[in-house]
Amino acid sequence: MRENLAQWDFVIAAYAVAIAGTLLLLGWSWRAMRRAEQRRDEVKRK
């Protein structure tokens, strides 16, 4: 175990959190868009 933490550990962790958050946001937005398109299509059919 290291006694002192390098700053790169925090930089890598910050990038990992940012990339994961971005991917989650993209997935959530894409899913919401698809649901909205399906609802729009259902209304058009009626």
Side-chain angles (χ1 to χ4, degrees):
M1 185 171 157
R2 297 181 295 183
E3 289 187 24
N4 57 351
L5 294 176
Q7 67 187 15
W8 285 108
D9 294 338
F10 294 105
V11 172
I12 291 169
Y15 272 104
V17 168
I19 290 169
T22 301
L23 292 175
L24 284 172
L25 183 61
L26 282 171
W28 181 41
S29 298
W30 182 79
R31 187 172 176 208
M33 179 187 66
R34 298 295 292 168
R35 283 191 320 225
E37 288 174 348
Q38 287 175 353
R39 286 193 307 259
R40 180 198 62 198
D41 291 341
E42 289 174 6
V43 168
K44 281 186 174 182
R45 285 187 206 127
K46 291 182 180 181

mmCIF file of all heavy atoms in Angstrom:
data_model
loop_
_atom_site.group_PDB
_atom_site.id
_atom_site.type_symbol
_atom_site.label_atom_id
_atom_site.label_comp_id
_atom_site.label_asym_id
_atom_site.label_seq_id
_atom_site.Cartn_x
_atom_site.Cartn_y
_atom_site.Cartn_z
ATOM 1 N N MET A 1 0.848 -1.191 0.000
ATOM 2 C CA MET A 1 0.000 0.000 0.000
ATOM 3 C C MET A 1 0.884 1.241 0.000
ATOM 4 O O MET A 1 1.875 1.310 0.718
ATOM 5 C CB MET A 1 -0.897 -0.027 1.226
ATOM 6 C CG MET A 1 -1.889 1.081 1.265
ATOM 7 S SD MET A 1 -3.055 0.787 2.607
ATOM 8 C CE MET A 1 -3.606 2.419 2.859
ATOM 9 N N ARG A 2 0.477 2.203 -0.777
ATOM 10 C CA ARG A 2 1.258 3.442 -0.836
ATOM 11 C C ARG A 2 0.804 4.402 0.260
ATOM 12 O O ARG A 2 -0.364 4.455 0.597
ATOM 13 C CB ARG A 2 1.044 4.110 -2.189
ATOM 14 C CG ARG A 2 1.538 3.267 -3.333
ATOM 15 C CD ARG A 2 1.329 3.967 -4.642
ATOM 16 N NE ARG A 2 -0.105 4.127 -4.888
ATOM 17 C CZ ARG A 2 -0.611 4.646 -5.980
ATOM 18 N NH1 ARG A 2 0.179 5.092 -6.920
ATOM 19 N NH2 ARG A 2 -1.904 4.757 -6.138
ATOM 20 N N GLU A 3 1.743 5.141 0.767
ATOM 21 C CA GLU A 3 1.391 6.100 1.809
ATOM 22 C C GLU A 3 0.892 7.410 1.240
ATOM 23 O O GLU A 3 0.012 8.037 1.803
ATOM 24 C CB GLU A 3 2.603 6.352 2.712
ATOM 25 C CG GLU A 3 2.926 5.171 3.592
ATOM 26 C CD GLU A 3 4.015 5.503 4.577
ATOM 27 O OE1 GLU A 3 4.208 6.685 4.890
ATOM 28 O OE2 GLU A 3 4.679 4.571 5.036
ATOM 29 N N ASN A 4 1.463 7.839 0.123
ATOM 30 C CA ASN A 4 1.022 9.093 -0.464
ATOM 31 C C ASN A 4 0.305 8.805 -1.777
ATOM 32 O O ASN A 4 0.724 7.977 -2.569
ATOM 33 C CB ASN A 4 2.196 10.038 -0.684
ATOM 34 C CG ASN A 4 3.262 9.416 -1.567
ATOM 35 O OD1 ASN A 4 3.196 8.238 -1.866
ATOM 36 N ND2 ASN A 4 4.222 10.219 -1.975
ATOM 37 N N LEU A 5 -0.800 9.478 -1.998
ATOM 38 C CA LEU A 5 -1.575 9.281 -3.208
ATOM 39 C C LEU A 5 -1.112 10.275 -4.268
ATOM 40 O O LEU A 5 -0.929 11.456 -3.997
ATOM 41 C CB LEU A 5 -3.065 9.491 -2.934
ATOM 42 C CG LEU A 5 -3.715 8.473 -1.998
ATOM 43 C CD1 LEU A 5 -5.157 8.865 -1.734
ATOM 44 C CD2 LEU A 5 -3.651 7.089 -2.593
ATOM 45 N N ALA A 6 -0.940 9.788 -5.446
ATOM 46 C CA ALA A 6 -0.556 10.662 -6.545
ATOM 47 C C ALA A 6 -1.789 11.407 -7.036
ATOM 48 O O ALA A 6 -2.913 10.922 -6.923
ATOM 49 C CB ALA A 6 0.051 9.840 -7.677
ATOM 50 N N GLN A 7 -1.574 12.576 -7.588
ATOM 51 C CA GLN A 7 -2.706 13.355 -8.078
ATOM 52 C C GLN A 7 -3.391 12.670 -9.251
ATOM 53 O O GLN A 7 -4.570 12.898 -9.498
ATOM 54 C CB GLN A 7 -2.251 14.747 -8.478
ATOM 55 C CG GLN A 7 -1.331 14.764 -9.691
ATOM 56 C CD GLN A 7 -0.774 16.133 -9.943
ATOM 57 O OE1 GLN A 7 -0.832 17.001 -9.089
ATOM 58 N NE2 GLN A 7 -0.222 16.334 -11.120
ATOM 59 N N TRP A 8 -2.673 11.812 -9.951
ATOM 60 C CA TRP A 8 -3.255 11.138 -11.113
ATOM 61 C C TRP A 8 -4.372 10.187 -10.715
ATOM 62 O O TRP A 8 -5.274 9.926 -11.506
ATOM 63 C CB TRP A 8 -2.179 10.420 -11.913
ATOM 64 C CG TRP A 8 -1.359 11.404 -12.694
ATOM 65 C CD1 TRP A 8 -0.077 11.776 -12.445
ATOM 66 C CD2 TRP A 8 -1.793 12.174 -13.815
ATOM 67 N NE1 TRP A 8 0.330 12.726 -13.361
ATOM 68 C CE2 TRP A 8 -0.716 12.986 -14.209
ATOM 69 C CE3 TRP A 8 -2.980 12.262 -14.524
ATOM 70 C CZ2 TRP A 8 -0.796 13.862 -15.277
ATOM 71 C CZ3 TRP A 8 -3.061 13.138 -15.588
ATOM 72 C CH2 TRP A 8 -1.979 13.927 -15.954
ATOM 73 N N ASP A 9 -4.328 9.662 -9.498
ATOM 74 C CA ASP A 9 -5.421 8.809 -9.036
ATOM 75 C C ASP A 9 -6.738 9.588 -9.029
ATOM 76 O O ASP A 9 -7.778 9.076 -9.446
ATOM 77 C CB ASP A 9 -5.134 8.278 -7.636
ATOM 78 C CG ASP A 9 -3.945 7.325 -7.599
ATOM 79 O OD1 ASP A 9 -3.613 6.753 -8.660
ATOM 80 O OD2 ASP A 9 -3.353 7.177 -6.507
ATOM 81 N N PHE A 10 -6.689 10.811 -8.574
ATOM 82 C CA PHE A 10 -7.890 11.633 -8.522
ATOM 83 C C PHE A 10 -8.317 12.077 -9.919
ATOM 84 O O PHE A 10 -9.505 12.159 -10.218
ATOM 85 C CB PHE A 10 -7.665 12.855 -7.622
ATOM 86 C CG PHE A 10 -7.452 12.473 -6.188
ATOM 87 C CD1 PHE A 10 -6.192 12.523 -5.636
ATOM 88 C CD2 PHE A 10 -8.511 12.063 -5.406
ATOM 89 C CE1 PHE A 10 -5.986 12.169 -4.316
ATOM 90 C CE2 PHE A 10 -8.322 11.704 -4.084
ATOM 91 C CZ PHE A 10 -7.056 11.750 -3.538
ATOM 92 N N VAL A 11 -7.362 12.368 -10.776
ATOM 93 C CA VAL A 11 -7.672 12.773 -12.142
ATOM 94 C C VAL A 11 -8.361 11.627 -12.874
ATOM 95 O O VAL A 11 -9.385 11.818 -13.538
ATOM 96 C CB VAL A 11 -6.394 13.218 -12.888
ATOM 97 C CG1 VAL A 11 -6.662 13.444 -14.366
ATOM 98 C CG2 VAL A 11 -5.817 14.467 -12.241
ATOM 99 N N ILE A 12 -7.813 10.421 -12.752
ATOM 100 C CA ILE A 12 -8.414 9.258 -13.410
ATOM 101 C C ILE A 12 -9.802 8.988 -12.850
ATOM 102 O O ILE A 12 -10.744 8.690 -13.594
ATOM 103 C CB ILE A 12 -7.488 8.038 -13.255
ATOM 104 C CG1 ILE A 12 -6.219 8.255 -14.078
ATOM 105 C CG2 ILE A 12 -8.188 6.756 -13.667
ATOM 106 C CD1 ILE A 12 -5.120 7.265 -13.806
ATOM 107 N N ALA A 13 -9.968 9.093 -11.550
ATOM 108 C CA ALA A 13 -11.279 8.883 -10.936
ATOM 109 C C ALA A 13 -12.283 9.929 -11.415
ATOM 110 O O ALA A 13 -13.443 9.603 -11.695
ATOM 111 C CB ALA A 13 -11.165 8.921 -9.416
ATOM 112 N N ALA A 14 -11.854 11.169 -11.539
ATOM 113 C CA ALA A 14 -12.753 12.226 -12.005
ATOM 114 C C ALA A 14 -13.183 11.979 -13.451
ATOM 115 O O ALA A 14 -14.357 12.148 -13.794
ATOM 116 C CB ALA A 14 -12.071 13.585 -11.880
ATOM 117 N N TYR A 15 -12.239 11.586 -14.290
ATOM 118 C CA TYR A 15 -12.587 11.258 -15.676
ATOM 119 C C TYR A 15 -13.539 10.068 -15.731
ATOM 120 O O TYR A 15 -14.486 10.051 -16.516
ATOM 121 C CB TYR A 15 -11.334 10.974 -16.508
ATOM 122 C CG TYR A 15 -10.749 12.212 -17.129
ATOM 123 C CD1 TYR A 15 -9.603 12.796 -16.605
ATOM 124 C CD2 TYR A 15 -11.337 12.797 -18.237
ATOM 125 C CE1 TYR A 15 -9.060 13.931 -17.173
ATOM 126 C CE2 TYR A 15 -10.802 13.933 -18.813
ATOM 127 C CZ TYR A 15 -9.665 14.495 -18.275
ATOM 128 O OH TYR A 15 -9.131 15.619 -18.838
ATOM 129 N N ALA A 16 -13.299 9.059 -14.920
ATOM 130 C CA ALA A 16 -14.165 7.881 -14.908
ATOM 131 C C ALA A 16 -15.587 8.250 -14.501
ATOM 132 O O ALA A 16 -16.560 7.809 -15.116
ATOM 133 C CB ALA A 16 -13.595 6.824 -13.969
ATOM 134 N N VAL A 17 -15.716 9.083 -13.479
ATOM 135 C CA VAL A 17 -17.042 9.514 -13.032
ATOM 136 C C VAL A 17 -17.719 10.354 -14.105
ATOM 137 O O VAL A 17 -18.918 10.184 -14.384
ATOM 138 C CB VAL A 17 -16.931 10.299 -11.704
ATOM 139 C CG1 VAL A 17 -18.224 11.007 -11.366
ATOM 140 C CG2 VAL A 17 -16.515 9.364 -10.583
ATOM 141 N N ALA A 18 -16.974 11.247 -14.736
ATOM 142 C CA ALA A 18 -17.552 12.108 -15.777
ATOM 143 C C ALA A 18 -17.990 11.293 -16.987
ATOM 144 O O ALA A 18 -19.081 11.521 -17.541
ATOM 145 C CB ALA A 18 -16.536 13.171 -16.190
ATOM 146 N N ILE A 19 -17.173 10.342 -17.401
ATOM 147 C CA ILE A 19 -17.530 9.520 -18.564
ATOM 148 C C ILE A 19 -18.732 8.635 -18.245
ATOM 149 O O ILE A 19 -19.661 8.525 -19.053
ATOM 150 C CB ILE A 19 -16.312 8.686 -19.016
ATOM 151 C CG1 ILE A 19 -15.265 9.615 -19.631
ATOM 152 C CG2 ILE A 19 -16.720 7.607 -20.003
ATOM 153 C CD1 ILE A 19 -13.932 8.956 -19.882
ATOM 154 N N ALA A 20 -18.739 8.035 -17.071
ATOM 155 C CA ALA A 20 -19.871 7.191 -16.678
ATOM 156 C C ALA A 20 -21.157 8.022 -16.590
ATOM 157 O O ALA A 20 -22.219 7.592 -17.059
ATOM 158 C CB ALA A 20 -19.590 6.511 -15.344
ATOM 159 N N GLY A 21 -21.066 9.203 -16.007
ATOM 160 C CA GLY A 21 -22.237 10.069 -15.910
ATOM 161 C C GLY A 21 -22.746 10.500 -17.276
ATOM 162 O O GLY A 21 -23.961 10.543 -17.520
ATOM 163 N N THR A 22 -21.840 10.799 -18.175
ATOM 164 C CA THR A 22 -22.224 11.192 -19.526
ATOM 165 C C THR A 22 -22.918 10.050 -20.249
ATOM 166 O O THR A 22 -23.950 10.245 -20.906
ATOM 167 C CB THR A 22 -20.995 11.655 -20.328
ATOM 168 O OG1 THR A 22 -20.392 12.754 -19.647
ATOM 169 C CG2 THR A 22 -21.359 12.055 -21.737
ATOM 170 N N LEU A 23 -22.369 8.851 -20.126
ATOM 171 C CA LEU A 23 -22.988 7.688 -20.775
ATOM 172 C C LEU A 23 -24.360 7.389 -20.187
ATOM 173 O O LEU A 23 -25.301 7.068 -20.933
ATOM 174 C CB LEU A 23 -22.077 6.471 -20.656
ATOM 175 C CG LEU A 23 -20.778 6.544 -21.461
ATOM 176 C CD1 LEU A 23 -19.908 5.334 -21.168
ATOM 177 C CD2 LEU A 23 -21.069 6.663 -22.948
ATOM 178 N N LEU A 24 -24.503 7.511 -18.879
ATOM 179 C CA LEU A 24 -25.814 7.303 -18.260
ATOM 180 C C LEU A 24 -26.827 8.344 -18.733
ATOM 181 O O LEU A 24 -27.980 8.020 -19.028
ATOM 182 C CB LEU A 24 -25.696 7.344 -16.731
ATOM 183 C CG LEU A 24 -25.104 6.110 -16.093
ATOM 184 C CD1 LEU A 24 -24.852 6.354 -14.602
ATOM 185 C CD2 LEU A 24 -26.026 4.927 -16.272
ATOM 186 N N LEU A 25 -26.392 9.586 -18.813
ATOM 187 C CA LEU A 25 -27.277 10.650 -19.276
ATOM 188 C C LEU A 25 -27.687 10.437 -20.728
ATOM 189 O O LEU A 25 -28.850 10.644 -21.085
ATOM 190 C CB LEU A 25 -26.600 12.005 -19.112
ATOM 191 C CG LEU A 25 -27.425 13.235 -19.477
ATOM 192 C CD1 LEU A 25 -28.662 13.329 -18.602
ATOM 193 C CD2 LEU A 25 -26.584 14.486 -19.340
ATOM 194 N N LEU A 26 -26.747 10.023 -21.566
ATOM 195 C CA LEU A 26 -27.072 9.742 -22.963
ATOM 196 C C LEU A 26 -28.079 8.601 -23.078
ATOM 197 O O LEU A 26 -29.041 8.676 -23.849
ATOM 198 C CB LEU A 26 -25.803 9.389 -23.741
ATOM 199 C CG LEU A 26 -24.918 10.549 -24.138
ATOM 200 C CD1 LEU A 26 -23.603 10.022 -24.704
ATOM 201 C CD2 LEU A 26 -25.616 11.418 -25.153
ATOM 202 N N GLY A 27 -27.870 7.539 -22.324
ATOM 203 C CA GLY A 27 -28.795 6.408 -22.350
ATOM 204 C C GLY A 27 -30.178 6.784 -21.868
ATOM 205 O O GLY A 27 -31.191 6.398 -22.458
ATOM 206 N N TRP A 28 -30.227 7.549 -20.796
ATOM 207 C CA TRP A 28 -31.516 7.977 -20.242
ATOM 208 C C TRP A 28 -32.247 8.895 -21.226
ATOM 209 O O TRP A 28 -33.448 8.745 -21.451
ATOM 210 C CB TRP A 28 -31.266 8.681 -18.917
ATOM 211 C CG TRP A 28 -32.491 9.163 -18.213
ATOM 212 C CD1 TRP A 28 -33.688 8.507 -18.087
ATOM 213 C CD2 TRP A 28 -32.649 10.399 -17.535
ATOM 214 N NE1 TRP A 28 -34.569 9.273 -17.363
ATOM 215 C CE2 TRP A 28 -33.950 10.441 -17.012
ATOM 216 C CE3 TRP A 28 -31.798 11.474 -17.313
ATOM 217 C CZ2 TRP A 28 -34.420 11.515 -16.287
ATOM 218 C CZ3 TRP A 28 -32.282 12.545 -16.572
ATOM 219 C CH2 TRP A 28 -33.568 12.564 -16.076
ATOM 220 N N SER A 29 -31.532 9.808 -21.839
ATOM 221 C CA SER A 29 -32.134 10.732 -22.796
ATOM 222 C C SER A 29 -32.626 9.990 -24.038
ATOM 223 O O SER A 29 -33.711 10.271 -24.552
ATOM 224 C CB SER A 29 -31.131 11.804 -23.217
ATOM 225 O OG SER A 29 -30.750 12.567 -22.107
ATOM 226 N N TRP A 30 -31.831 9.034 -24.517
ATOM 227 C CA TRP A 30 -32.226 8.261 -25.694
ATOM 228 C C TRP A 30 -33.488 7.462 -25.406
ATOM 229 O O TRP A 30 -34.408 7.430 -26.218
ATOM 230 C CB TRP A 30 -31.085 7.333 -26.110
ATOM 231 C CG TRP A 30 -31.406 6.541 -27.335
ATOM 232 C CD1 TRP A 30 -31.360 6.968 -28.620
ATOM 233 C CD2 TRP A 30 -31.834 5.179 -27.381
ATOM 234 N NE1 TRP A 30 -31.733 5.956 -29.465
ATOM 235 C CE2 TRP A 30 -32.023 4.840 -28.733
ATOM 236 C CE3 TRP A 30 -32.067 4.218 -26.401
ATOM 237 C CZ2 TRP A 30 -32.447 3.572 -29.115
ATOM 238 C CZ3 TRP A 30 -32.480 2.955 -26.797
ATOM 239 C CH2 TRP A 30 -32.667 2.656 -28.134
ATOM 240 N N ARG A 31 -33.549 6.862 -24.222
ATOM 241 C CA ARG A 31 -34.736 6.083 -23.848
ATOM 242 C C ARG A 31 -35.965 6.981 -23.729
ATOM 243 O O ARG A 31 -37.058 6.621 -24.193
ATOM 244 C CB ARG A 31 -34.469 5.369 -22.528
ATOM 245 C CG ARG A 31 -35.550 4.426 -22.137
ATOM 246 C CD ARG A 31 -35.148 3.618 -20.939
ATOM 247 N NE ARG A 31 -36.279 2.791 -20.537
ATOM 248 C CZ ARG A 31 -36.496 2.388 -19.319
ATOM 249 N NH1 ARG A 31 -35.640 2.693 -18.372
ATOM 250 N NH2 ARG A 31 -37.537 1.657 -19.023
ATOM 251 N N ALA A 32 -35.810 8.139 -23.139
ATOM 252 C CA ALA A 32 -36.931 9.077 -23.016
ATOM 253 C C ALA A 32 -37.387 9.548 -24.390
ATOM 254 O O ALA A 32 -38.591 9.694 -24.636
ATOM 255 C CB ALA A 32 -36.528 10.267 -22.152
ATOM 256 N N MET A 33 -36.453 9.782 -25.301
ATOM 257 C CA MET A 33 -36.800 10.203 -26.659
ATOM 258 C C MET A 33 -37.589 9.108 -27.365
ATOM 259 O O MET A 33 -38.595 9.389 -28.024
ATOM 260 C CB MET A 33 -35.533 10.528 -27.443
ATOM 261 C CG MET A 33 -35.788 10.948 -28.867
ATOM 262 S SD MET A 33 -34.285 11.127 -29.836
ATOM 263 C CE MET A 33 -33.721 9.432 -29.883
ATOM 264 N N ARG A 34 -37.154 7.868 -27.239
ATOM 265 C CA ARG A 34 -37.855 6.754 -27.887
ATOM 266 C C ARG A 34 -39.272 6.608 -27.336
ATOM 267 O O ARG A 34 -40.213 6.382 -28.088
ATOM 268 C CB ARG A 34 -37.079 5.455 -27.689
ATOM 269 C CG ARG A 34 -35.703 5.449 -28.304
ATOM 270 C CD ARG A 34 -35.738 5.542 -29.800
ATOM 271 N NE ARG A 34 -36.303 4.321 -30.325
ATOM 272 C CZ ARG A 34 -36.698 4.142 -31.566
ATOM 273 N NH1 ARG A 34 -36.556 5.108 -32.437
ATOM 274 N NH2 ARG A 34 -37.220 3.017 -31.951
ATOM 275 N N ARG A 35 -39.450 6.756 -26.021
ATOM 276 C CA ARG A 35 -40.791 6.665 -25.432
ATOM 277 C C ARG A 35 -41.670 7.798 -25.927
ATOM 278 O O ARG A 35 -42.850 7.590 -26.224
ATOM 279 C CB ARG A 35 -40.704 6.707 -23.906
ATOM 280 C CG ARG A 35 -40.257 5.411 -23.300
ATOM 281 C CD ARG A 35 -40.436 5.416 -21.804
ATOM 282 N NE ARG A 35 -40.061 6.725 -21.260
ATOM 283 C CZ ARG A 35 -39.327 6.904 -20.191
ATOM 284 N NH1 ARG A 35 -38.881 5.879 -19.525
ATOM 285 N NH2 ARG A 35 -39.024 8.102 -19.761
ATOM 286 N N ALA A 36 -41.105 9.006 -26.023
ATOM 287 C CA ALA A 36 -41.884 10.145 -26.511
ATOM 288 C C ALA A 36 -42.287 9.936 -27.965
ATOM 289 O O ALA A 36 -43.415 10.269 -28.354
ATOM 290 C CB ALA A 36 -41.080 11.432 -26.356
ATOM 291 N N GLU A 37 -41.396 9.391 -28.776
ATOM 292 C CA GLU A 37 -41.736 9.120 -30.170
ATOM 293 C C GLU A 37 -42.837 8.075 -30.269
ATOM 294 O O GLU A 37 -43.742 8.194 -31.103
ATOM 295 C CB GLU A 37 -40.504 8.650 -30.937
ATOM 296 C CG GLU A 37 -39.498 9.743 -31.192
ATOM 297 C CD GLU A 37 -38.222 9.230 -31.826
ATOM 298 O OE1 GLU A 37 -38.016 7.992 -31.867
ATOM 299 O OE2 GLU A 37 -37.418 10.069 -32.281
ATOM 300 N N GLN A 38 -42.792 7.062 -29.436
ATOM 301 C CA GLN A 38 -43.841 6.040 -29.445
ATOM 302 C C GLN A 38 -45.189 6.635 -29.043
ATOM 303 O O GLN A 38 -46.218 6.324 -29.651
ATOM 304 C CB GLN A 38 -43.476 4.894 -28.513
ATOM 305 C CG GLN A 38 -42.366 4.021 -29.051
ATOM 306 C CD GLN A 38 -41.927 2.966 -28.052
ATOM 307 O OE1 GLN A 38 -42.363 2.963 -26.898
ATOM 308 N NE2 GLN A 38 -41.045 2.082 -28.489
ATOM 309 N N ARG A 39 -45.188 7.487 -28.031
ATOM 310 C CA ARG A 39 -46.447 8.134 -27.622
ATOM 311 C C ARG A 39 -46.984 9.021 -28.734
ATOM 312 O O ARG A 39 -48.189 9.051 -28.994
ATOM 313 C CB ARG A 39 -46.230 8.945 -26.345
ATOM 314 C CG ARG A 39 -46.084 8.091 -25.119
ATOM 315 C CD ARG A 39 -46.192 8.908 -23.838
ATOM 316 N NE ARG A 39 -45.280 10.043 -23.819
ATOM 317 C CZ ARG A 39 -44.135 10.071 -23.167
ATOM 318 N NH1 ARG A 39 -43.742 9.018 -22.485
ATOM 319 N NH2 ARG A 39 -43.379 11.152 -23.186
ATOM 320 N N ARG A 40 -46.097 9.749 -29.416
ATOM 321 C CA ARG A 40 -46.513 10.603 -30.532
ATOM 322 C C ARG A 40 -47.123 9.774 -31.645
ATOM 323 O O ARG A 40 -48.162 10.122 -32.195
ATOM 324 C CB ARG A 40 -45.316 11.381 -31.054
ATOM 325 C CG ARG A 40 -45.666 12.298 -32.217
ATOM 326 C CD ARG A 40 -44.453 12.716 -32.989
ATOM 327 N NE ARG A 40 -43.821 11.526 -33.573
ATOM 328 C CZ ARG A 40 -42.585 11.479 -34.019
ATOM 329 N NH1 ARG A 40 -41.810 12.539 -33.939
ATOM 330 N NH2 ARG A 40 -42.099 10.375 -34.536
ATOM 331 N N ASP A 41 -46.498 8.647 -31.961
ATOM 332 C CA ASP A 41 -47.017 7.780 -33.014
ATOM 333 C C ASP A 41 -48.379 7.188 -32.641
ATOM 334 O O ASP A 41 -49.248 7.058 -33.500
ATOM 335 C CB ASP A 41 -46.013 6.667 -33.330
ATOM 336 C CG ASP A 41 -44.757 7.188 -33.993
ATOM 337 O OD1 ASP A 41 -44.796 8.319 -34.529
ATOM 338 O OD2 ASP A 41 -43.742 6.469 -33.967
ATOM 339 N N GLU A 42 -48.556 6.846 -31.376
ATOM 340 C CA GLU A 42 -49.861 6.318 -30.922
ATOM 341 C C GLU A 42 -50.945 7.378 -31.073
ATOM 342 O O GLU A 42 -52.063 7.071 -31.462
ATOM 343 C CB GLU A 42 -49.761 5.839 -29.487
ATOM 344 C CG GLU A 42 -48.955 4.574 -29.326
ATOM 345 C CD GLU A 42 -48.748 4.190 -27.874
ATOM 346 O OE1 GLU A 42 -49.333 4.860 -26.988
ATOM 347 O OE2 GLU A 42 -47.986 3.237 -27.616
ATOM 348 N N VAL A 43 -50.627 8.619 -30.771
ATOM 349 C CA VAL A 43 -51.618 9.689 -30.887
ATOM 350 C C VAL A 43 -51.957 9.944 -32.353
ATOM 351 O O VAL A 43 -53.105 10.186 -32.704
ATOM 352 C CB VAL A 43 -51.087 10.980 -30.210
ATOM 353 C CG1 VAL A 43 -51.951 12.178 -30.547
ATOM 354 C CG2 VAL A 43 -51.005 10.777 -28.708
ATOM 355 N N LYS A 44 -50.956 9.866 -33.219
ATOM 356 C CA LYS A 44 -51.197 10.080 -34.650
ATOM 357 C C LYS A 44 -52.097 8.996 -35.242
ATOM 358 O O LYS A 44 -52.853 9.258 -36.158
ATOM 359 C CB LYS A 44 -49.873 10.103 -35.419
ATOM 360 C CG LYS A 44 -49.142 11.395 -35.324
ATOM 361 C CD LYS A 44 -47.919 11.365 -36.244
ATOM 362 C CE LYS A 44 -47.240 12.698 -36.296
ATOM 363 N NZ LYS A 44 -46.094 12.681 -37.214
ATOM 364 N N ARG A 45 -51.986 7.780 -34.733
ATOM 365 C CA ARG A 45 -52.782 6.670 -35.253
ATOM 366 C C ARG A 45 -54.253 6.809 -34.920
ATOM 367 O O ARG A 45 -55.100 6.297 -35.608
ATOM 368 C CB ARG A 45 -52.260 5.348 -34.708
ATOM 369 C CG ARG A 45 -50.985 4.905 -35.343
ATOM 370 C CD ARG A 45 -50.602 3.514 -34.883
ATOM 371 N NE ARG A 45 -49.160 3.367 -34.985
ATOM 372 C CZ ARG A 45 -48.371 2.967 -34.013
ATOM 373 N NH1 ARG A 45 -48.868 2.628 -32.853
ATOM 374 N NH2 ARG A 45 -47.076 2.880 -34.195
ATOM 375 N N LYS A 46 -54.558 7.475 -33.824
ATOM 376 C CA LYS A 46 -55.954 7.578 -33.374
ATOM 377 C C LYS A 46 -56.754 8.559 -34.167
ATOM 378 O O LYS A 46 -56.524 9.334 -34.902
ATOM 379 C CB LYS A 46 -56.010 7.969 -31.899
ATOM 380 C CG LYS A 46 -55.506 6.857 -31.012
ATOM 381 C CD LYS A 46 -55.629 7.246 -29.574
ATOM 382 C CE LYS A 46 -55.114 6.121 -28.699
ATOM 383 N NZ LYS A 46 -55.210 6.400 -27.307
#
